[in-house]
Amino acid sequence: MQKPIRGWFQPAPSSCPVRDRGIRLRTVCEECSGNPQCGQLTLQKRTPLYLEQDPATHVFAVVQGYLRETRTMSDGRVQSLRLVGPGELGGVEALLDRNYYTALEALTEAVVCRVSAETVRDTLRTRVDQPLAMVTELIAELDAVRESLHWVGTLDAEERVLAMLARLSGDTGRGVEFKLPLTRLEISELLGLAHETVSRVIQGLARRGTIRVRGRQITFL
Amino acid sequence: MQKPIRGWFQPAPSSCPVRDRGIRLRTVCEECSGNPQCGQLTLQKRTPLYLEQDPATHVFAVVQGYLRETRTMSDGRVQSLRLVGPGELGGVEALLDRNYYTALEALTEAVVCRVSAETVRDTLRTRVDQPLAMVTELIAELDAVRESLHWVGTLDAEERVLAMLARLSGDTGRGVEFKLPLTRLEISELLGLAHETVSRVIQGLARRGTIRVRGRQITFL
DNA sequence: CGCTTATTTGATCTTGATCAATGGTAGTGG
DNA sequence: CCACTACCATTGATCAAGATCAAATAAGCG
């Protein structure tokens, strides 16, 4: 069920659960490389990995679960910037060697690889084969954020909720039930909607037979 | 008045108008390196640099003027994704060696440096000092797009228009008049608003004394 | 079981879109 | 220089999507 981690580094030389679950490239994870057990971080729900303005020291690759990036405005409003799922990167601004400008927090129980920015920088400096892969990664991220922007700009409430449900369903097919890992409130914050609207849209889709809903169990029909 | 180009390459060895206007790093621009006159491209208003789905061959750095990235949806609606101004990059997806997934078009008369993706890739492979600078660039781009997302998600019409006006005013101070380089319609498309709304907001700000408006001449008060 | 947190549903309100009409401005060619 | 034209900007009236306010369940969970 785990997705491969998109990474910018070479295959791990020794046993590593991350690689063993099918990834092409390994991340230079402090835990992975120093430890034969490849002890990634396991996070409980609601655990923050870092807060806005924290000194930016590490980059994270999500192995399992969902995190979210948020930013707080001067007036206290919180905006969820994006959902970070399996195989995606968080905190790349650490490579700029300054403070994080977003907060990153686990929404579900999650497993992440933690890589120090220093390690990444060293690797970029010394390994000829890595920079292009890293650049490719970042451009893919850029693509993803633009995609979100496109969504927020043009899609109405129902389209956005459908897109989110599709993403959260992963590779679950039609007719197969899956469990929503997020609450209506969390979904609404990520989509820039009110939670009541998310609820109404989901009920509406159910009434029209697009999906079947049993609490947090959803089936596409 | 020109902004420095953010670039990932070393200082130009010989005379180059781009560098001479104060940039730290030069872009490996086909025109610049092959030609002592450093003949960047000059674009007329409304000139497209590339269209969606075109083979992605070049990366562009804006020297002067404003361009916009757009994407067309299946139903024909066009979404403006972002404004690309002096010092910023467009078309970085060319490094992925596939097709452009956005269109890039000049909104005003503009000057850009054109760099072949091949050149950039070669430089990343062979020059030890460049990758980190390039990665830094991309992360800054990522930051900018997230910023847009933040805007679109949390700001209301007036806040968005104000943010755009602030950006377009550049380093013009309070009390100094500047000329809007974009029409109300173009602004509205970039902000995801109706052009009537942009007009109303601008008039409203003028009525309340925040700005002074004379057609496309604007003064912050 | 009792408490907290999620979810659903209804009623009403606000923002900004849309429709429609008019006035301005800049560029073009005579 | 002026008239013509095409685009740009403003303003008003109305409408709709979704936010907000309010309240009643439902679902977890110690």
Side-chain angles (χ1 to χ4, degrees), chain A residues 196-221:
Chain A
E196 297 96 326
T197 303
V198 172
S199 180
R200 271 187 257 267
V201 167
I202 289 179
Q203 294 306 314
L205 289 170
R207 214 168 301 119
R208 299 209 316 266
T210 309
I211 57 177
R212 195 154 55 80
V213 181
R214 284 212 338 258
R216 221 171 283 183
Q217 302 295 323
I218 304 278
T219 317
F220 275 97
L221 302 174

PDB file of all heavy atoms in Angstrom, chain A residues 196-221:
ATOM      1  N   GLU A 196     -18.986  22.988   6.848  1.00  0.00           N
ATOM      2  CA  GLU A 196     -20.379  22.666   6.533  1.00  0.00           C
ATOM      3  C   GLU A 196     -20.560  22.428   5.038  1.00  0.00           C
ATOM      4  O   GLU A 196     -21.315  21.549   4.616  1.00  0.00           O
ATOM      5  CB  GLU A 196     -21.316  23.802   6.953  1.00  0.00           C
ATOM      6  CG  GLU A 196     -21.344  24.080   8.445  1.00  0.00           C
ATOM      7  CD  GLU A 196     -20.415  25.215   8.821  1.00  0.00           C
ATOM      8  OE1 GLU A 196     -19.355  25.339   8.178  1.00  0.00           O
ATOM      9  OE2 GLU A 196     -20.731  25.970   9.765  1.00  0.00           O
ATOM     10  N   THR A 197     -19.845  23.210   4.248  1.00  0.00           N
ATOM     11  CA  THR A 197     -19.944  23.055   2.794  1.00  0.00           C
ATOM     12  C   THR A 197     -19.417  21.690   2.365  1.00  0.00           C
ATOM     13  O   THR A 197     -20.026  21.014   1.533  1.00  0.00           O
ATOM     14  CB  THR A 197     -19.153  24.169   2.080  1.00  0.00           C
ATOM     15  OG1 THR A 197     -19.654  25.427   2.502  1.00  0.00           O
ATOM     16  CG2 THR A 197     -19.276  24.055   0.578  1.00  0.00           C
ATOM     17  N   VAL A 198     -18.302  21.270   2.944  1.00  0.00           N
ATOM     18  CA  VAL A 198     -17.742  19.964   2.605  1.00  0.00           C
ATOM     19  C   VAL A 198     -18.761  18.874   2.941  1.00  0.00           C
ATOM     20  O   VAL A 198     -19.025  17.982   2.133  1.00  0.00           O
ATOM     21  CB  VAL A 198     -16.420  19.718   3.359  1.00  0.00           C
ATOM     22  CG1 VAL A 198     -15.944  18.285   3.164  1.00  0.00           C
ATOM     23  CG2 VAL A 198     -15.358  20.700   2.881  1.00  0.00           C
ATOM     24  N   SER A 199     -19.334  18.988   4.110  1.00  0.00           N
ATOM     25  CA  SER A 199     -20.326  17.999   4.523  1.00  0.00           C
ATOM     26  C   SER A 199     -21.501  17.969   3.541  1.00  0.00           C
ATOM     27  O   SER A 199     -21.908  16.912   3.064  1.00  0.00           O
ATOM     28  CB  SER A 199     -20.818  18.336   5.925  1.00  0.00           C
ATOM     29  OG  SER A 199     -21.777  17.398   6.344  1.00  0.00           O
ATOM     30  N   ARG A 200     -22.007  19.134   3.215  1.00  0.00           N
ATOM     31  CA  ARG A 200     -23.147  19.217   2.292  1.00  0.00           C
ATOM     32  C   ARG A 200     -22.809  18.634   0.933  1.00  0.00           C
ATOM     33  O   ARG A 200     -23.607  17.905   0.338  1.00  0.00           O
ATOM     34  CB  ARG A 200     -23.570  20.675   2.123  1.00  0.00           C
ATOM     35  CG  ARG A 200     -24.600  21.126   3.140  1.00  0.00           C
ATOM     36  CD  ARG A 200     -25.109  22.520   2.820  1.00  0.00           C
ATOM     37  NE  ARG A 200     -24.504  23.527   3.685  1.00  0.00           N
ATOM     38  CZ  ARG A 200     -25.054  23.947   4.824  1.00  0.00           C
ATOM     39  NH1 ARG A 200     -26.207  23.449   5.223  1.00  0.00           N
ATOM     40  NH2 ARG A 200     -24.457  24.849   5.562  1.00  0.00           N
ATOM     41  N   VAL A 201     -21.624  18.954   0.424  1.00  0.00           N
ATOM     42  CA  VAL A 201     -21.229  18.444  -0.891  1.00  0.00           C
ATOM     43  C   VAL A 201     -21.158  16.924  -0.855  1.00  0.00           C
ATOM     44  O   VAL A 201     -21.656  16.247  -1.748  1.00  0.00           O
ATOM     45  CB  VAL A 201     -19.876  19.037  -1.329  1.00  0.00           C
ATOM     46  CG1 VAL A 201     -19.313  18.281  -2.519  1.00  0.00           C
ATOM     47  CG2 VAL A 201     -20.026  20.507  -1.671  1.00  0.00           C
ATOM     48  N   ILE A 202     -20.566  16.386   0.206  1.00  0.00           N
ATOM     49  CA  ILE A 202     -20.438  14.932   0.300  1.00  0.00           C
ATOM     50  C   ILE A 202     -21.815  14.278   0.366  1.00  0.00           C
ATOM     51  O   ILE A 202     -22.095  13.297  -0.319  1.00  0.00           O
ATOM     52  CB  ILE A 202     -19.577  14.537   1.534  1.00  0.00           C
ATOM     53  CG1 ILE A 202     -18.109  14.922   1.272  1.00  0.00           C
ATOM     54  CG2 ILE A 202     -19.697  13.060   1.830  1.00  0.00           C
ATOM     55  CD1 ILE A 202     -17.164  14.621   2.416  1.00  0.00           C
ATOM     56  N   GLN A 203     -22.699  14.871   1.162  1.00  0.00           N
ATOM     57  CA  GLN A 203     -24.055  14.328   1.234  1.00  0.00           C
ATOM     58  C   GLN A 203     -24.747  14.420  -0.121  1.00  0.00           C
ATOM     59  O   GLN A 203     -25.469  13.521  -0.532  1.00  0.00           O
ATOM     60  CB  GLN A 203     -24.876  15.076   2.294  1.00  0.00           C
ATOM     61  CG  GLN A 203     -24.374  14.872   3.707  1.00  0.00           C
ATOM     62  CD  GLN A 203     -24.250  13.412   4.077  1.00  0.00           C
ATOM     63  OE1 GLN A 203     -25.149  12.618   3.813  1.00  0.00           O
ATOM     64  NE2 GLN A 203     -23.121  13.044   4.676  1.00  0.00           N
ATOM     65  N   GLY A 204     -24.518  15.536  -0.814  1.00  0.00           N
ATOM     66  CA  GLY A 204     -25.116  15.724  -2.134  1.00  0.00           C
ATOM     67  C   GLY A 204     -24.643  14.670  -3.124  1.00  0.00           C
ATOM     68  O   GLY A 204     -25.450  14.093  -3.868  1.00  0.00           O
ATOM     69  N   LEU A 205     -23.348  14.389  -3.114  1.00  0.00           N
ATOM     70  CA  LEU A 205     -22.793  13.369  -4.009  1.00  0.00           C
ATOM     71  C   LEU A 205     -23.405  12.010  -3.681  1.00  0.00           C
ATOM     72  O   LEU A 205     -23.702  11.216  -4.574  1.00  0.00           O
ATOM     73  CB  LEU A 205     -21.273  13.303  -3.857  1.00  0.00           C
ATOM     74  CG  LEU A 205     -20.490  14.487  -4.422  1.00  0.00           C
ATOM     75  CD1 LEU A 205     -19.025  14.427  -4.000  1.00  0.00           C
ATOM     76  CD2 LEU A 205     -20.594  14.524  -5.937  1.00  0.00           C
ATOM     77  N   ALA A 206     -23.592  11.756  -2.384  1.00  0.00           N
ATOM     78  CA  ALA A 206     -24.177  10.482  -1.961  1.00  0.00           C
ATOM     79  C   ALA A 206     -25.621  10.389  -2.453  1.00  0.00           C
ATOM     80  O   ALA A 206     -26.059   9.362  -2.976  1.00  0.00           O
ATOM     81  CB  ALA A 206     -24.115  10.359  -0.443  1.00  0.00           C
ATOM     82  N   ARG A 207     -26.363  11.496  -2.326  1.00  0.00           N
ATOM     83  CA  ARG A 207     -27.766  11.497  -2.720  1.00  0.00           C
ATOM     84  C   ARG A 207     -27.908  11.236  -4.225  1.00  0.00           C
ATOM     85  O   ARG A 207     -28.828  10.573  -4.663  1.00  0.00           O
ATOM     86  CB  ARG A 207     -28.401  12.846  -2.343  1.00  0.00           C
ATOM     87  CG  ARG A 207     -29.855  12.742  -1.936  1.00  0.00           C
ATOM     88  CD  ARG A 207     -30.350  14.039  -1.303  1.00  0.00           C
ATOM     89  NE  ARG A 207     -29.567  14.402  -0.122  1.00  0.00           N
ATOM     90  CZ  ARG A 207     -28.861  15.536   0.005  1.00  0.00           C
ATOM     91  NH1 ARG A 207     -28.874  16.440  -0.960  1.00  0.00           N
ATOM     92  NH2 ARG A 207     -28.162  15.777   1.098  1.00  0.00           N
ATOM     93  N   ARG A 208     -26.951  11.746  -4.990  1.00  0.00           N
ATOM     94  CA  ARG A 208     -27.022  11.573  -6.438  1.00  0.00           C
ATOM     95  C   ARG A 208     -26.374  10.268  -6.893  1.00  0.00           C
ATOM     96  O   ARG A 208     -26.285   9.989  -8.088  1.00  0.00           O
ATOM     97  CB  ARG A 208     -26.322  12.739  -7.132  1.00  0.00           C
ATOM     98  CG  ARG A 208     -26.958  14.087  -6.811  1.00  0.00           C
ATOM     99  CD  ARG A 208     -26.777  15.058  -7.950  1.00  0.00           C
ATOM    100  NE  ARG A 208     -25.409  15.014  -8.480  1.00  0.00           N
ATOM    101  CZ  ARG A 208     -24.404  15.812  -8.099  1.00  0.00           C
ATOM    102  NH1 ARG A 208     -24.624  16.740  -7.201  1.00  0.00           N
ATOM    103  NH2 ARG A 208     -23.223  15.707  -8.637  1.00  0.00           N
ATOM    104  N   GLY A 209     -25.849   9.499  -5.942  1.00  0.00           N
ATOM    105  CA  GLY A 209     -25.334   8.178  -6.283  1.00  0.00           C
ATOM    106  C   GLY A 209     -23.915   8.144  -6.824  1.00  0.00           C
ATOM    107  O   GLY A 209     -23.483   7.139  -7.381  1.00  0.00           O
ATOM    108  N   THR A 210     -23.173   9.250  -6.677  1.00  0.00           N
ATOM    109  CA  THR A 210     -21.787   9.254  -7.153  1.00  0.00           C
ATOM    110  C   THR A 210     -20.899   8.457  -6.203  1.00  0.00           C
ATOM    111  O   THR A 210     -19.968   7.770  -6.621  1.00  0.00           O
ATOM    112  CB  THR A 210     -21.251  10.694  -7.242  1.00  0.00           C
ATOM    113  OG1 THR A 210     -22.180  11.476  -7.980  1.00  0.00           O
ATOM    114  CG2 THR A 210     -19.900  10.745  -7.931  1.00  0.00           C
ATOM    115  N   ILE A 211     -21.196   8.593  -4.918  1.00  0.00           N
ATOM    116  CA  ILE A 211     -20.426   7.858  -3.925  1.00  0.00           C
ATOM    117  C   ILE A 211     -21.387   7.278  -2.889  1.00  0.00           C
ATOM    118  O   ILE A 211     -22.564   7.649  -2.836  1.00  0.00           O
ATOM    119  CB  ILE A 211     -19.420   8.768  -3.178  1.00  0.00           C
ATOM    120  CG1 ILE A 211     -20.159   9.945  -2.511  1.00  0.00           C
ATOM    121  CG2 ILE A 211     -18.365   9.313  -4.124  1.00  0.00           C
ATOM    122  CD1 ILE A 211     -19.252  10.854  -1.692  1.00  0.00           C
ATOM    123  N   ARG A 212     -20.873   6.369  -2.086  1.00  0.00           N
ATOM    124  CA  ARG A 212     -21.644   5.898  -0.947  1.00  0.00           C
ATOM    125  C   ARG A 212     -20.894   6.320   0.297  1.00  0.00           C
ATOM    126  O   ARG A 212     -19.668   6.214   0.355  1.00  0.00           O
ATOM    127  CB  ARG A 212     -21.809   4.374  -0.989  1.00  0.00           C
ATOM    128  CG  ARG A 212     -22.894   3.848  -0.051  1.00  0.00           C
ATOM    129  CD  ARG A 212     -23.450   2.520  -0.548  1.00  0.00           C
ATOM    130  NE  ARG A 212     -22.354   1.557  -0.729  1.00  0.00           N
ATOM    131  CZ  ARG A 212     -21.796   0.873   0.269  1.00  0.00           C
ATOM    132  NH1 ARG A 212     -22.259   0.997   1.504  1.00  0.00           N
ATOM    133  NH2 ARG A 212     -20.809   0.042   0.035  1.00  0.00           N
ATOM    134  N   VAL A 213     -21.616   6.821   1.288  1.00  0.00           N
ATOM    135  CA  VAL A 213     -20.982   7.357   2.489  1.00  0.00           C
ATOM    136  C   VAL A 213     -21.503   6.640   3.723  1.00  0.00           C
ATOM    137  O   VAL A 213     -22.711   6.496   3.903  1.00  0.00           O
ATOM    138  CB  VAL A 213     -21.301   8.866   2.646  1.00  0.00           C
ATOM    139  CG1 VAL A 213     -20.615   9.433   3.879  1.00  0.00           C
ATOM    140  CG2 VAL A 213     -20.883   9.627   1.403  1.00  0.00           C
ATOM    141  N   ARG A 214     -20.563   6.163   4.537  1.00  0.00           N
ATOM    142  CA  ARG A 214     -20.936   5.652   5.857  1.00  0.00           C
ATOM    143  C   ARG A 214     -19.944   6.246   6.835  1.00  0.00           C
ATOM    144  O   ARG A 214     -18.905   5.656   7.086  1.00  0.00           O
ATOM    145  CB  ARG A 214     -20.854   4.126   5.900  1.00  0.00           C
ATOM    146  CG  ARG A 214     -22.025   3.430   5.184  1.00  0.00           C
ATOM    147  CD  ARG A 214     -22.355   2.081   5.866  1.00  0.00           C
ATOM    148  NE  ARG A 214     -21.216   1.579   6.629  1.00  0.00           N
ATOM    149  CZ  ARG A 214     -20.391   0.607   6.198  1.00  0.00           C
ATOM    150  NH1 ARG A 214     -20.585   0.018   5.057  1.00  0.00           N
ATOM    151  NH2 ARG A 214     -19.380   0.229   6.961  1.00  0.00           N
ATOM    152  N   GLY A 215     -20.264   7.454   7.332  1.00  0.00           N
ATOM    153  CA  GLY A 215     -19.323   8.141   8.208  1.00  0.00           C
ATOM    154  C   GLY A 215     -18.061   8.443   7.440  1.00  0.00           C
ATOM    155  O   GLY A 215     -18.103   9.142   6.438  1.00  0.00           O
ATOM    156  N   ARG A 216     -16.936   7.876   7.859  1.00  0.00           N
ATOM    157  CA  ARG A 216     -15.706   8.172   7.158  1.00  0.00           C
ATOM    158  C   ARG A 216     -15.349   7.080   6.136  1.00  0.00           C
ATOM    159  O   ARG A 216     -14.287   7.117   5.526  1.00  0.00           O
ATOM    160  CB  ARG A 216     -14.576   8.375   8.173  1.00  0.00           C
ATOM    161  CG  ARG A 216     -13.691   9.527   7.768  1.00  0.00           C
ATOM    162  CD  ARG A 216     -12.714   9.905   8.829  1.00  0.00           C
ATOM    163  NE  ARG A 216     -13.316  10.683   9.914  1.00  0.00           N
ATOM    164  CZ  ARG A 216     -12.599  11.164  10.927  1.00  0.00           C
ATOM    165  NH1 ARG A 216     -11.311  10.938  10.986  1.00  0.00           N
ATOM    166  NH2 ARG A 216     -13.186  11.870  11.871  1.00  0.00           N
ATOM    167  N   GLN A 217     -16.246   6.118   5.986  1.00  0.00           N
ATOM    168  CA  GLN A 217     -16.054   5.101   4.958  1.00  0.00           C
ATOM    169  C   GLN A 217     -16.709   5.586   3.674  1.00  0.00           C
ATOM    170  O   GLN A 217     -17.893   5.909   3.658  1.00  0.00           O
ATOM    171  CB  GLN A 217     -16.700   3.781   5.380  1.00  0.00           C
ATOM    172  CG  GLN A 217     -16.176   3.221   6.697  1.00  0.00           C
ATOM    173  CD  GLN A 217     -14.713   2.822   6.623  1.00  0.00           C
ATOM    174  OE1 GLN A 217     -14.242   2.320   5.607  1.00  0.00           O
ATOM    175  NE2 GLN A 217     -13.982   3.086   7.713  1.00  0.00           N
ATOM    176  N   ILE A 218     -15.927   5.648   2.605  1.00  0.00           N
ATOM    177  CA  ILE A 218     -16.421   6.169   1.332  1.00  0.00           C
ATOM    178  C   ILE A 218     -16.236   5.125   0.229  1.00  0.00           C
ATOM    179  O   ILE A 218     -15.236   4.405   0.214  1.00  0.00           O
ATOM    180  CB  ILE A 218     -15.634   7.434   0.913  1.00  0.00           C
ATOM    181  CG1 ILE A 218     -15.692   8.496   2.011  1.00  0.00           C
ATOM    182  CG2 ILE A 218     -16.125   7.961  -0.426  1.00  0.00           C
ATOM    183  CD1 ILE A 218     -16.923   9.332   2.010  1.00  0.00           C
ATOM    184  N   THR A 219     -17.215   5.036  -0.672  1.00  0.00           N
ATOM    185  CA  THR A 219     -17.076   4.160  -1.833  1.00  0.00           C
ATOM    186  C   THR A 219     -17.430   4.953  -3.092  1.00  0.00           C
ATOM    187  O   THR A 219     -18.501   5.562  -3.147  1.00  0.00           O
ATOM    188  CB  THR A 219     -18.038   2.954  -1.743  1.00  0.00           C
ATOM    189  OG1 THR A 219     -18.019   2.432  -0.415  1.00  0.00           O
ATOM    190  CG2 THR A 219     -17.653   1.882  -2.745  1.00  0.00           C
ATOM    191  N   PHE A 220     -16.572   4.947  -4.081  1.00  0.00           N
ATOM    192  CA  PHE A 220     -16.906   5.536  -5.383  1.00  0.00           C
ATOM    193  C   PHE A 220     -17.766   4.558  -6.165  1.00  0.00           C
ATOM    194  O   PHE A 220     -17.482   3.368  -6.198  1.00  0.00           O
ATOM    195  CB  PHE A 220     -15.636   5.836  -6.191  1.00  0.00           C
ATOM    196  CG  PHE A 220     -15.024   7.163  -5.866  1.00  0.00           C
ATOM    197  CD1 PHE A 220     -13.973   7.254  -4.977  1.00  0.00           C
ATOM    198  CD2 PHE A 220     -15.518   8.320  -6.455  1.00  0.00           C
ATOM    199  CE1 PHE A 220     -13.406   8.483  -4.677  1.00  0.00           C
ATOM    200  CE2 PHE A 220     -14.950   9.556  -6.159  1.00  0.00           C
ATOM    201  CZ  PHE A 220     -13.895   9.642  -5.260  1.00  0.00           C
ATOM    202  N   LEU A 221     -18.842   5.081  -6.755  1.00  0.00           N
ATOM    203  CA  LEU A 221     -19.740   4.190  -7.512  1.00  0.00           C
ATOM    204  C   LEU A 221     -19.669   4.438  -9.013  1.00  0.00           C
ATOM    205  O   LEU A 221     -18.762   4.995  -9.527  1.00  0.00           O
ATOM    206  CB  LEU A 221     -21.175   4.370  -7.024  1.00  0.00           C
ATOM    207  CG  LEU A 221     -21.376   4.087  -5.520  1.00  0.00           C
ATOM    208  CD1 LEU A 221     -22.790   4.441  -5.095  1.00  0.00           C
ATOM    209  CD2 LEU A 221     -21.080   2.620  -5.228  1.00  0.00           C
TER     210      LEU A 221
END
